[in-house]
Amino acid sequence: MGDAGEIHLQIAGTRGEDEARAVAGNGTSPAPPSVSERVQWWAVVLVNIVLVLAGQSVANLLGRIYYDQGGGSLWMATVVQSCGTPLAIPLLLYFGRRPKATATAVTRPPLLKISAIYAGLGVLLAGDNLMYSYALLYLPLSTYSLVCATQLSFNAVFSYFLNKQKFTALILNSVVLLTFSAALVGVSHGSDGTNSSVPEGKFPLGFALTLSASALFSLILSLMQLTFDKVLRSDTFYDVMEMQFWSNTAAAIVSVAGLFISGEWSTLHGEMDGYKKGRVAYGMTLAWTAISWQLTTMGLMGLVASVSSLFTNVISTVGLPLSPIIAVIFLGDRMDGVKVLAMLVAVWGFLSYIYQHYLDDAKVKKILAERSAEHRTVKLATE
């Protein structure tokens, strides 16, 4: 969790790493964030949370519907996860890059360095999206969503080594519970009941691919946080949108190349004609899937920049109960005792992590209040 100064800077959302060093170097405590700063920060966080929860639930549902209605192109299912990047262009043009007029403004890294980072993230995203496409084809949506809970466990490990995330008993408890939740689903083949067109005998492969994709996704989030903290040293809205645009553009290029190299592009016309709901429904399914994934990505990156990659994965895990419920309602998945137990264990793990955040926030408030009182005492003594 970081110390009081670091968490304060996250809450304020207005200072960078250099300013934190300057404050520490001067030996002074950071000024408590104003009410407007706290409200603004929480508003941004809440908007990003809504984008993540709503976006990933809708995107996963549409992805399963695409397969059930006759879609079969794994590369097309991968392309739509990153091809919605043009949605970010109006926002990039509207906000533009606004140079900071402060003494603590940092120099922007070389273009070549940033380009290499965004391209590397894009390649990782493309590979991750492809694994998720296979996983969603081979597993019912409810099972797929529960296994994805392991993202938090993987991210806790990557955050510890890459982002200097501190472990506590509550965080460790959360990681163990979420891992156990996914293991319950993995060892119970009886929980695989569904009306979806899931290929026979693909459960082990789908389970393995979901675990691998979850691990890679967690690594990507940690690398994004590392980029914000150590390379860009900025977490403005423009920086978030720029990373989303270029990394997803790179992922889209790789995915489209895979679509043509694999030869699946030649089957798309027949796939469209054979889609059970018709050609229009085929196009609308893909379009809304792309939009949903882009909104999800925007929320994920916003949370990484505003808080941390681990917190981002916690919020993503909150959507775990949503997808199985949606799958039961719209796809006829069976919600048996094992899945219910796995869901309850996962929610328990999530609440454990949230309680740790509550304790950290209370500790920070106490420290800031004590420093503020000391500052007033010293000021009165010198007058």
Side-chain angles (χ1 to χ4, degrees):
M1 289 290 158
D3 59 21
E6 289 172 340
I7 297 178
H8 163 74
L9 293 180
Q10 288 181 349
I11 293 174
T14 56
R15 298 179 177 87
E17 188 176 277
D18 285 356
E19 187 167 347
R21 293 197 191 98
V23 170
N26 293 333
T28 61
S29 60
S34 65
V35 175
S36 62
E37 285 178 330
R38 291 182 67 88
V39 170
Q40 182 181 12
W41 185 84
W42 276 111
V44 171
V45 170
L46 289 175
V47 168
N48 286 324
I49 288 175
V50 171
L51 289 176
V52 171
L53 295 181
Q56 76 175 6
S57 297
V58 173
N60 286 331
L61 176 63
L62 291 174
R64 185 63 256 176
I65 290 175
Y66 167 74
Y67 289 131
D68 289 346
Q69 295 299 316
S73 174
L74 291 165
W75 278 108
M76 176 54 71
T78 303
V79 169
V80 295
Q81 294 182 54
S82 55
C83 70
T85 50
L87 292 175
I89 294 178
L91 294 173
L92 286 170
L93 294 177
Y94 176 77
F95 286 95
R97 175 167 296 282
R98 295 172 180 147
K100 297 181 179 179
T102 63
T104 59
V106 297
T107 304
R108 184 167 174 78
L111 178 61
L112 183 61
K113 183 177 183 179
I114 296 179
S115 300
I117 291 175
Y118 289 165
L121 289 173
V123 172
L124 291 178
L125 281 170
D128 191 53
N129 292 341
L130 181 61
M131 283 193 289
Y132 273 129
S133 297
Y134 272 99
L136 194 56
L137 173 62
Y138 292 158
L139 292 178
L141 178 57
S142 54
T143 304
Y144 164 87
S145 301
L146 290 173
V147 178
C148 282
T150 55
Q151 289 177 185
L152 182 57
S153 302
F154 289 119
N155 194 229
V157 175
F158 291 128
S159 295
Y160 177 80
F161 288 105
L162 296 179
N163 309 125
K164 309 303 180 184
Q165 180 80 38
K166 295 180 181 179
F167 274 98
T168 65
L170 287 171
I171 291 180
L172 183 60
N173 179 63
S174 176
V175 169
V176 171
L177 288 173
L178 286 165
T179 303
F180 179 68
S181 170
L184 278 176
V185 178
V187 299
S188 176
H189 291 261
S191 64
D192 204 24
T194 179
N195 289 334
S196 296
S197 55
V198 178
E200 292 289 338
K202 295 295 185 179
F203 183 92
L205 180 57
F207 184 79
L209 285 171
T210 307
L211 284 178
S212 301
S214 297
L216 182 54
F217 178 73
S218 299
L219 174 61
I220 291 171
L221 288 182
S222 291
L223 291 175
M224 286 178 176
Q225 182 181 346
L226 192 66
T227 301
F228 281 123
D229 293 343
K230 302 300 183 182
V231 180
L232 298 177
R233 288 181 288 175
S234 174
D235 58 2
T236 64
F237 180 78
Y238 182 88
D239 292 314
V240 172
M241 294 303 302
E242 183 183 62
M243 179 180 288
Q244 176 193 357
F245 178 77
W246 289 113
S247 61
N248 274 266
T249 297
I253 292 173
V254 173
S255 301
V256 171
L259 179 66
F260 280 91
I261 293 174
S262 67
E264 285 190 5
W265 66 273
S266 61
T267 67
L268 295 181
H269 189 273
E271 180 177 287
M272 183 184 300
D273 290 335
Y275 201 68
K276 296 178 183 178
K277 295 294 184 180
R279 296 168 61 94
V280 174
Y282 178 84
M284 293 296 292
T285 300
L286 294 179
W288 282 108
T289 303
I291 293 173
S292 299
W293 275 125
Q294 281 308 298
L295 293 178
T296 303
T297 303
M298 185 186 302
L300 289 172
M301 292 190 176
L303 288 177
V304 169
S306 300
V307 191
S308 69
S309 63
L310 189 55
F311 180 82
T312 303
N313 241 325
V314 168
I315 296 302
S316 181
T317 306
V318 176
L320 179 149
L322 299 180
S323 292
I325 292 173
I326 291 175
V328 169
I329 295 174
F330 293 99
L331 301 178
D333 283 17
R334 188 179 69 205
M335 183 57 69
D336 60 11
V338 173
K339 288 184 181 179
V340 171
L341 180 59
M343 186 183 302
L344 292 176
V345 171
V347 171
W348 180 10
F350 163 71
L351 292 177
S352 177
Y353 185 87
I354 290 298
Y355 184 61
Q356 179 64 64
H357 263 282
Y358 167 77
L359 294 178
D360 287 342
D361 191 53
K363 180 179 179 181
V364 170
K365 289 179 180 178
K366 181 179 179 181
I367 292 174
L368 291 177
E370 291 175 352
R371 289 182 178 179
S372 180
E374 292 174 359
H375 178 72
R376 287 195 299 268
T377 302
V378 172
K379 185 176 180 181
L380 291 174
T382 56
E383 290 179 352

